[in-house]
Amino acid sequence: MLVNYEVTESVAVLTMQQAPVNGLGLPLRKALREMLHKAFDDATIKGVVLTGGEKVFSAGADIEEFEAGLDGPNFADPYLGSLVDLVEAAGKPVVAAISGVCLGGGLELVLGCHYRVADSSARFGLPEVNLGILPGAGGTQRLPRLIGVEGALDLIVSGEMVDCERAVSLGLIDRVLVDEAEGTAVKKAVQLALEAASSGHWPRLRDVVIRMQANELSQLIEAKIATLRKPLPAALQCIDAVSWSVTLPFEEALGKEYAALRELMASAESQALRHAFFAERRAGKIQGISREVPVRAVTSVAVIGAGTMGSGIAMCCANAGMPVMLLDTSEEAVQRGLQGLAANYGAAIKRGRLTTEVADRRLRLISGSTDFSRIGSADLVIEAVYEDMAVKESVFRAIDSFAQPDAILASNTSTLDLDAIAGFTSRPQDVVGLHFFSPANLMRLLEVVRGAKTRDEVLASAMQFARKIGKVGVVAGVCDGFIGNRMFEEYLRQAYFLLDEGATPLQVDRALEDWGMAMGPLATMDLAGNDIGLAIRKRRKIEQPDRPYSAIPDLVAEMGRFGQKTGAGWYRYDPVTRKRQADPEIDSLVLEYGARNHIARREISDEEIVARCLFALANEGALILREGIAQRASDIDTVYLNGYGFPAHRGGPMFYADKIGLPNVLARIEGFQAGYMGELWQPASLLTELGETGQSFASV
């Protein structure tokens, strides 16, 4: 039974029971309609309580229905909007009793109710904009009537979730129950329904008239648009739709909202964002490992290396409520790491992201030491030291000596051979890669690297740990750079070769940023450190002496221009704002290099910059897929969306290539073979096969 129906004190209590999150797919919508009519048609029923139970109200629409298109079950009768209308128009009061998440269509259903009761576990939001659409069941019209236009714009355009306390301050709920027994929300909702029934009247949000001057509305809209870094169609449409709650009659606005939803669902941006959503879900599924594989509990962690990365990893664990031991070889390094952690938490308090109480509690979970024997109590030991194999060997031999027998041993290496590192221990089956991205406490991506001897239970445990600390875990195989950095090197190489031929650093970065990348490749290296790139290229020249690179980035690094940390790299940086400025010295260096090496400079279009850099990513991704380094193309997209600033509305490099069409990508790469460094453009065999047969990466 999808909706349980029972009567309490002449009130029908309808409890949604569609596990796990009461997704409002067609079956649940039909069941709700049936039970609502049953309650409305029964003369003995005075009111209705709608609830999702004690753990969750509803996480909203069944997003899988979206993939069936505009003629699919998402728009089938009863459409959610008509169900909300049915609730609102009822001749009996309907009260929502809310526990747990109440998102998207779930919140729109709540807005159709006449009263809202919630307990302190309730969480509210309209996240549709994150899927490239808008709330299409009346949310853009009822929410402004309940909490005001400004509050509605904030919630709908941001797509963010708010807790119960914030919901109360916004006026989203009528009564909040704090620290009361489970089930109390339903009991209070029953009382409220009876009170409303006896009074003979109850409010309907559609009847609320918003009175706002045109200039006031215009100012709110302009202010909201100004906060958007790169306005996408869905965000702009959400703003328009909320404005209709002021300027149009309710029914007319509902019709326009519905039409806008259908138009957005068919858009390229929404398709890409929905792909990103499902890709992230799929990434958690490990091919070849049974769900019955036992998982090791990780309740305490030791992190070796108290630098920026190690401290960030410690912060991730403490934020998840786990005690952490932060170790380094000197007391000075340990104290510097602990002080950095305290500063990070202090900054979060100043920005209003944490209370002092929460920050203090998390800080107390982190302790420091130089005594490596203290890792013996940790369930997981993470190495986060300098990217040098000799240093890794020393650390892992120490870990092997002191870690408890069933501990998971992890390396944060970004490029080195994990199997070689595992070989420094007597238990390579317990070694896994946990490649965090900097800053570790903020970046969502975690590459979980499966070594040749990594046990299934260790890999599954590492993925569970990723979820526990709020990361998006993606399984990768062992190779130089794993998924993300291996592909990024090809992206960078093309960026550098473009400088050889005629582009400037600013042109390369702006072309890719205008296309949607969060940061251009050269600005990214200034942030990461050009000295790091130089060290990698020096190692490459030893290991792969025939692998060609532009020498320009080496010249920049050898000038001591390591990037933001030295105040200058590819750009100069303001010491206070860190704002970048193009530097004539670098532009001259680029010109002189080309002249000295007799490279004919030419005008390069922004389109060519984007195509060369992005198709280099996709081509290397095809090699990674064929080699089994990545489980699926969508995993590669998840890596780039969460770790490399790839724009979500483009779906990821592999999805983007699929949308361009692999035959077209293949033809462009073959065209690049006739140009500068054309011998490097060797189409991956998988790309060639798929391109010639008209298939996609998604089909692999």
Side-chain angles (χ1 to χ4, degrees):
M1 182 181 292
L2 295 180
V3 179
N4 182 61
Y5 185 105
E6 63 180 50
V7 178
T8 302
E9 300 182 49
S10 301
V11 172
V13 178
L14 278 57
T15 305
M16 294 179 283
Q17 299 182 136
Q18 176 74 292
V21 292
N22 290 328
L24 290 163
L26 183 58
L28 180 54
R29 298 200 305 273
K30 285 182 174 180
L32 273 172
R33 180 174 63 180
E34 179 185 349
M35 294 303 170
L36 285 166
H37 279 301
K38 179 179 178 180
F40 296 159
D41 295 342
D42 187 338
T44 67
I45 296 299
K46 296 180 179 179
V48 177
V49 169
L50 184 59
T51 182
E54 297 172 358
K55 302 299 182 185
V56 59
F57 184 82
S58 171
D62 181 350
I63 298 175
E64 291 188 2
E65 289 188 347
F66 293 1
E67 299 312 291
L70 300 182
D71 296 322
N74 183 64
F75 292 100
D77 184 41
Y79 173 63
L80 180 59
S82 64
L83 198 63
V84 176
D85 291 343
L86 174 66
V87 169
E88 188 175 56
K92 301 172 183 181
V94 182
V95 183
I98 308 157
S99 298
V101 296
C102 178
L103 302 175
L107 179 53
E108 290 183 286
L109 186 58
V110 162
L111 293 172
C113 297
H114 307 112
Y115 298 98
R116 290 152 287 278
V117 175
D119 64 30
S120 57
S121 73
R123 301 289 184 271
F124 303 88
L126 289 169
E128 285 85 352
V129 70
N130 297 322
L131 294 175
I133 56 176
L134 52 59
T140 66
Q141 302 310 303
R142 291 187 177 90
L143 188 63
R145 287 171 164 82
L146 180 63
I147 69 172
V149 173
E150 185 173 5
L153 280 172
D154 288 344
L155 275 184
I156 293 172
V157 176
S158 72
E160 292 178 353
M161 187 161 56
V162 297
D163 61 17
C164 197
E165 182 180 0
R166 175 69 174 144
V168 171
S169 69
L170 287 169
L172 189 57
I173 52 182
D174 298 290
R175 295 186 186 177
V176 60
L177 312 171
V178 180
D179 299 328
E180 297 192 34
E182 286 188 348
T184 306
V186 170
K187 292 177 183 177
K188 289 293 176 72
V190 167
Q191 293 173 11
L192 187 54
L194 290 171
E195 291 169 8
S198 64
S199 72
H201 61 85
W202 40 90
R204 295 182 175 90
L205 287 176
R206 68 167 54 224
D207 297 331
V208 175
V209 177
I210 302 174
R211 303 196 184 280
M212 178 179 285
Q213 296 296 320
N215 65 331
E216 184 183 356
L217 177 61
S218 178
Q219 288 170 5
L220 276 179
I221 290 172
E222 288 176 7
K224 179 53 62 178
I225 292 175
T227 66
L228 303 176
R229 180 172 173 263
K230 290 183 178 178
L232 295 175
L236 295 175
Q237 188 65 78
C238 284
I239 293 170
D240 279 349
V242 171
S243 75
W244 300 334
S245 68
V246 180
T247 60
L248 297 176
F250 185 83
E251 287 296 338
E252 183 180 348
L254 276 190
K256 286 176 69 69
E257 177 197 73
Y258 180 78
L261 170 66
R262 290 177 65 87
E263 182 178 342
L264 286 170
M265 282 195 68
S267 69
E269 289 84 3
S270 181
Q271 291 174 29
L273 289 164
R274 297 198 310 263
H275 166 78
F277 176 85
F278 287 114
E280 190 170 310
R281 277 187 172 182
R282 284 191 293 270
K285 298 176 182 177
I286 310 172
Q287 293 177 354
I289 294 184
S290 166
R291 291 184 178 181
E292 281 68 50
V293 167
V295 176
R296 300 183 192 180
V298 175
T299 58
S300 61
V301 180
V303 179
I304 299 177
T308 302
M309 179 60 76
S311 297
I313 295 171
M315 199 172 180
C316 294
C317 299
N319 291 350
M322 287 181 281
V324 189
M325 174 63 64
L326 185 63
L327 299 108
D328 214 308
T329 54
S330 73
E331 185 63 30
E332 180 184 3
V334 170
Q335 291 305 315
R336 189 164 52 245
L338 294 175
Q339 288 165 9
L341 283 164
N344 283 340
Y345 280 119
I349 293 170
K350 285 183 179 179
R351 289 193 295 268
R353 295 182 178 176
L354 285 181
T355 64
T356 301
E357 180 184 8
V358 170
D360 288 346
R361 183 168 67 245
R362 292 177 178 179
L363 265 174
R364 286 195 296 271
L365 288 169
I366 305 171
S367 55
S369 180
T370 58
D371 182 1
F372 276 46
S373 68
R374 297 187 64 182
I375 69 175
S377 60
D379 301 314
L380 169 65
V381 183
I382 304 174
E383 163 273 309
V385 300
Y386 186 68
E387 194 76 343
D388 178 270
M389 190 62 86
V391 177
K392 305 281 190 188
E393 177 176 1
S394 174
V395 169
F396 266 86
R397 293 199 184 280
I399 292 174
D400 195 33
S401 299
F402 295 115
Q404 60 178 308
D406 59 349
I408 297 171
L409 315 183
S411 174
N412 179 58
T413 182
S414 58
T415 57
L416 299 180
D417 186 344
L418 182 74
D419 291 331
I421 292 171
F424 300 141
T425 76
S426 61
R427 37 179 155 168
Q429 68 278 4
D430 292 324
V431 177
V432 67
L434 289 178
H435 177 209
F436 288 80
F437 287 72
S438 186
N441 55 301
L442 298 179
M443 296 295 285
R444 295 184 71 222
L445 178 64
L446 180 59
E447 281 186 318
V448 180
V449 185
R450 172 168 34 190
K453 296 184 179 179
T454 304
R455 280 181 179 163
D456 286 354
E457 69 181 72
V458 171
L459 186 65
S461 302
M463 289 292 282
Q464 185 182 74
F465 168 74
R467 290 189 291 273
K468 186 173 182 178
I469 63 173
K471 301 297 184 188
V472 179
V474 178
V475 174
V478 176
C479 68
D480 199 331
F482 313 125
I483 297 173
N485 282 347
R486 173 173 163 181
M487 290 172 62
F488 190 72
E489 182 169 349
E490 295 308 310
Y491 174 80
L492 264 182
R493 280 213 301 171
Q494 284 305 313
Y496 294 149
F497 288 143
L498 285 161
L499 299 182
D500 288 359
E501 289 186 80
T504 65
L506 187 60
Q507 184 193 1
V508 170
D509 280 348
R510 277 188 176 166
L512 287 155
E513 289 165 359
D514 289 346
W515 181 84
M517 296 296 289
M519 187 178 287
L522 307 172
T524 297
M525 289 311 299
D526 270 358
L527 180 63
N530 292 310
D531 52 329
I532 294 173
L534 177 62
I536 291 172
R537 288 189 297 276
K538 284 182 176 179
R539 177 166 64 84
R540 292 276 193 275
K541 287 175 183 176
I542 295 171
E543 298 169 350
Q544 304 172 46
D546 296 330
R547 185 178 177 84
Y549 288 91
S550 166
I552 293 176
D554 292 355
L555 297 174
V556 172
E558 287 164 359
M559 293 167 67
R561 300 179 63 124
F562 296 157
Q564 291 192 24
K565 60 188 173 185
T566 58
W570 293 99
Y571 304 97
R572 289 206 170 273
Y573 292 88
D574 184 284
V576 177
T577 66
R578 287 195 174 185
K579 186 176 180 180
R580 76 187 186 202
Q581 296 176 336
D583 192 337
E585 185 177 0
I586 292 297
D587 290 344
S588 296
L589 181 149
V590 169
L591 286 169
E592 291 167 4
Y593 175 81
R596 188 167 59 251
N597 290 277
H598 308 291
I599 302 170
R601 295 186 67 77
R602 62 184 179 86
E603 290 291 325
I604 299 177
S605 69
D606 288 356
E607 187 278 334
E608 181 182 342
I609 291 170
V610 171
R612 280 173 57 174
C613 290
L614 295 184
F615 294 166
L617 280 179
N619 193 52
E620 194 67 21
L623 290 172
I624 284 172
L625 272 179
R626 173 54 56 85
E627 294 169 18
I629 301 300
Q631 298 183 107
R632 50 186 81 87
S634 62
D635 281 7
I636 295 174
D637 289 334
T638 298
V639 165
Y640 266 79
L641 292 169
N642 290 282
Y644 291 85
F646 202 96
H649 70 279
R650 301 286 192 179
M654 310 309 280
F655 179 85
Y656 179 70
D658 278 346
K659 285 299 176 184
I660 293 291
L662 298 192
N664 296 325
V665 174
L666 184 59
R668 287 301 300 275
I669 287 177
E670 289 170 345
F672 295 151
Q673 289 178 317
Y676 180 70
M677 291 294 181
E679 67 275 11
L680 301 182
W681 284 103
Q682 296 300 321
S685 60
L686 179 62
L687 173 60
T688 300
E689 292 166 16
L690 296 175
E692 290 177 348
T693 57
Q695 297 182 75
S696 66
F697 288 129
S699 68
V700 178

